[in-house]
């Protein structure tokens, strides 16, 4: 007997992102409650009230496991999202190009591939910075954070442009018009997340530099807030992909052996 169960892609993504967000929140709150001085410690001794993400998730072994488990699930789900998004954008680009100008533009294929590669680099660096913790592997962790910030911003910019370039070029059935409405919703959210990401990374870089140069109280705490906002914008940006694939379901088929 064949048992076929279908999972909504939207629910899979939402569950993955909620798990990551809750894990981070628990790490921050419990770290502040049980080890305030440890998680807010800075090498120059400035007084801080909030921990960086690295300090919060690396407080102890339980925190590391609590963070790494949902990150692993998210990275696996994210890899699936990269493949599905690439195939969807590639098919849509070919269809729209042939309908609009009668030919396929190689530039569109290059853009789709570059977007997927940037997203893959983002997932890889996220996995690296989560498992190569700042306490045990500081240099690897620091470089992974820098790479994550850069390639995530690049991916967000490419994906936003990719979606913007398709807007307004879909004409035809009601089904296609509904897809366009969802694409416009996705574009608005992605633009907001991209702008937030750029502003907070820039501000965070300034605050990090100011902290190390002057060691002023609360500078590192404000840097930590920028980190929280950046992570939130990245998670929301990723969720917006469900509007690009609104009717997608993941099929799980199980063949029960005949006895």
């Amino acid at each position: 007997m064949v048992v076929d169960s279908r999972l909504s892609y939207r629910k899979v993504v939402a569950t993955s992102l909620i798990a990551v967000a809750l894990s981070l929140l628990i790490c921050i709150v419990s770290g502040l409650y049980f080890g305030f001085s440890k998680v807010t410690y800075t090498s120059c001794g400035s007084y801080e009230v909030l921990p960086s993400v690295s300090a919060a998730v690396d407080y102890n072994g339980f925190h590391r496991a609590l963070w790494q488990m949902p990150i692993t699930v998210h990275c696996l789900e994210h890899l699936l999202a990269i493949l599905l998004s690439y195939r969807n954008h590639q098919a849509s680009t070919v269809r729209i190009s042939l309908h609009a100008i009668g030919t396929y533009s190689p530039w569109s294929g290059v853009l789709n591939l570059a977007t997927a590669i940037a997203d893959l680099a983002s997932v890889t660096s996220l996995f690296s910075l989560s498992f190569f913790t700042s306490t045990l592997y500081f240099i690897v962790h620091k470089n992974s954070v820098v790479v994550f910030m850069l390639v995530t911003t690049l991916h967000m910019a490419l994906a936003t442009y990719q979606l913007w370039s398709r807007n307004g070029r879909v004409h035809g059935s009601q089904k296609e018009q509904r897809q366009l409405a969802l694409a416009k919703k996705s574009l608005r959210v992605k633009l907001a997340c991209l702008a937030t990401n750029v502003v907070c990374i820039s501000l965070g870089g300034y605050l990090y530099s100011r902290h190390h140069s002057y060691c002023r109280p609360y500078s590192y705490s404000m840097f930590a807030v920028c980190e929280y906002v950046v992570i939130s914008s990245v998670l929301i940006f990723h969720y917006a992909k469900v509007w690009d694939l609104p009717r997608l379901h993941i099929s799980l088929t199980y063949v029960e052996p005949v006895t």
Side-chain angles (χ1 to χ4, degrees):
M1 185 174 98
V2 178
V3 179
D4 187 12
S5 16
R6 304 177 71 203
L7 295 174
S8 166
Y9 175 66
R10 178 180 62 81
K11 291 181 179 179
V12 171
V13 174
T15 302
S16 165
L17 298 181
I18 290 172
V20 172
L22 282 177
S23 171
L24 178 58
L25 181 61
I26 292 171
C27 287
I28 293 171
V29 173
S30 61
L32 287 172
Y33 185 79
F34 293 107
F36 179 85
S37 59
K38 182 178 179 179
V39 296
T40 58
Y41 170 80
T42 61
S43 57
C44 68
S46 64
Y47 181 75
E48 305 296 339
V49 294
L50 290 173
S52 66
V53 173
S54 299
V57 303
D58 199 23
Y59 171 58
N60 56 28
F62 172 74
H63 279 210
R64 285 191 289 271
L66 184 64
W67 173 249
Q68 290 168 354
M69 284 190 293
I71 283 294
T72 301
V73 174
H74 169 66
C75 287
L76 292 173
E77 174 268 310
H78 203 139
L79 290 173
L80 176 63
I82 293 171
L83 175 62
L84 295 174
S85 295
Y86 175 74
R87 292 178 59 183
N88 176 65
H89 283 296
Q90 193 71 1
S92 298
T93 300
V94 172
R95 184 177 67 253
I96 293 171
S97 296
L98 291 176
H99 177 81
I101 59 177
T103 185
Y104 173 66
S105 170
W107 160 246
S108 299
V110 172
L111 176 61
N112 292 340
L113 181 60
T115 304
I117 291 174
D119 204 6
L120 180 60
S122 173
V123 176
T124 304
S125 57
L126 173 62
F127 188 84
S128 174
L129 69 88
S130 297
F131 281 84
F132 291 95
T133 59
S134 59
T135 302
L136 301 176
Y137 310 95
F138 178 74
I139 298 300
V140 177
H141 178 82
K142 180 180 178 181
N143 291 335
S144 297
V145 171
V146 173
V147 172
F148 175 75
M149 295 293 184
L150 293 176
V151 296
T152 297
T153 304
L154 175 63
H155 162 68
M156 293 171 78
L158 290 174
T160 302
Y161 175 76
Q162 183 184 50
L163 194 58
W164 173 81
S165 66
R166 290 172 51 196
N167 261 350
R169 296 168 60 188
V170 179
H171 305 282
S173 65
Q174 282 189 333
K175 175 182 175 182
E176 290 175 323
Q177 293 302 319
R178 285 195 298 269
Q179 288 178 340
L180 179 59
L182 286 173
K184 287 182 176 180
K185 180 180 180 181
S186 177
L187 180 60
R188 288 194 299 269
V189 172
K190 287 180 177 180
L191 278 171
C193 290
L194 175 60
T196 301
N197 200 60
V198 171
V199 170
C200 287
I201 287 178
S202 302
L203 181 58
Y206 165 75
L207 290 169
Y208 186 83
S209 175
R210 182 178 175 82
H211 165 73
H212 281 277
S213 298
Y214 304 104
C215 197
R216 298 287 174 81
Y218 307 114
S219 291
Y220 205 70
S221 297
M222 290 187 286
F223 163 76
V225 171
C226 289
E227 277 193 316
Y228 305 159
V229 176
V230 166
I231 290 176
S232 300
S233 70
V234 171
L235 295 180
I236 295 171
F237 189 96
H238 181 64
Y239 180 78
K241 290 180 180 178
V242 303
W243 295 317
D244 303 330
L245 304 162
R247 287 176 300 279
L248 181 66
H249 287 77
I250 299 172
S251 180
L252 301 175
T253 303
Y254 169 70
V255 180
E256 185 177 309
V258 179
T259 57

